[in-house]
């Protein structure tokens, strides 16, 4: 796995990235709407205004980080929106996570947040090994469209 390159994705990476996102959605049981995902990825692949996309491979995995702003965090914060690797247990997820946390810190983020599905204790153990801790707050959402 050490020979797989982890790098910042750009517009030319859209095709391989869409294939990985579709695979992630299938594995995780989410709907995949290619048009919606393409629209969301466009600004992230063009520049850093809204966040960053990182690839491992180009076809071994990816991570998406978006920016938020919070008084409690003291300014910019990062949200690890998605991370996916095809072959688990070989260290690539850790390399990808290390790359995106370093990039977020370099972009001025003071803290990185992420969410996991309630029954997924295995992935929370992975994140805990990499310095993430569960919080007492509960996220809620409301569709705005």
């Amino acid at each position: 796995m050490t020979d797989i390159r982890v790098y910042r994705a750009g517009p030319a990476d859209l095709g391989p990235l869409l294939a990985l996102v579709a695979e992630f959605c299938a594995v995780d049981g989410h709907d995949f709407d290619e048009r919606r995902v393409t629209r969301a990825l466009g600004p992230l692949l063009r520049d850093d205004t809204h966040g960053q996309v990182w690839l491992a491979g180009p076809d071994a995995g990816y991570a998406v980080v978006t920016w938020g702003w919070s008084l409690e965090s003291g300014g910019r914060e990062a949200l690890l929106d998605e991370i996916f690797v095809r072959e688990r247990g070989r260290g690539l997820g850790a390399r990808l996570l290390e790359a995106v946390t370093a990039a977020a810190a370099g972009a001025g983020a003071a803290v990185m947040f992420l969410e996991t599905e309630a029954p997924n204790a295995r992935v929370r153990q992975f994140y805990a090994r990499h310095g993430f801790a569960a919080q007492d707050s509960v996220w809620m959402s409301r569709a705005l469209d």
Side-chain angles (χ1 to χ4, degrees):
M1 278 295 150
T2 57
D3 59 327
I4 293 177
R5 186 170 69 104
V6 174
Y7 61 96
R8 176 77 188 280
D13 296 303
L14 181 61
L17 186 56
L18 283 173
L20 286 165
V21 174
E23 187 174 337
F24 166 74
C25 288
V27 167
D28 222 37
H30 300 290
D31 291 334
F32 176 71
D33 179 336
E34 184 172 334
R35 193 167 12 127
R36 185 185 74 231
V37 171
T38 299
R39 185 177 61 239
L41 284 170
L44 298 171
L45 294 172
R46 274 193 301 275
D47 61 41
D48 285 3
T49 302
H50 302 289
Q52 302 177 344
V53 179
W54 288 77
L55 278 170
D59 62 355
Y62 74 98
V64 176
V65 174
T66 61
W67 310 134
W69 195 267
S70 169
L71 298 179
E72 186 176 336
S73 297
R76 180 176 268 188
E77 54 189 25
L79 171 67
L80 179 59
D81 184 52
E82 291 184 7
I83 185 169
F84 172 72
V85 293
R86 283 190 164 142
E87 293 184 41
R88 296 180 182 161
R90 299 183 59 191
L92 186 55
R95 285 186 49 219
L96 196 50
L97 186 59
E98 181 179 313
V100 299
T101 54
V111 63
M112 180 175 282
F113 292 95
L114 58 86
E115 68 171 315
T116 65
E117 302 293 333
N120 201 342
R122 180 192 57 76
V123 78
R124 280 191 298 284
Q125 290 172 345
F126 167 78
Y127 289 126
R129 285 193 308 272
H130 295 280
F132 288 83
Q135 304 229 328
D136 290 333
S137 60
V138 175
W139 286 35
M140 299 173 68
S141 66
R142 173 184 166 187
L144 301 176
D145 52 8

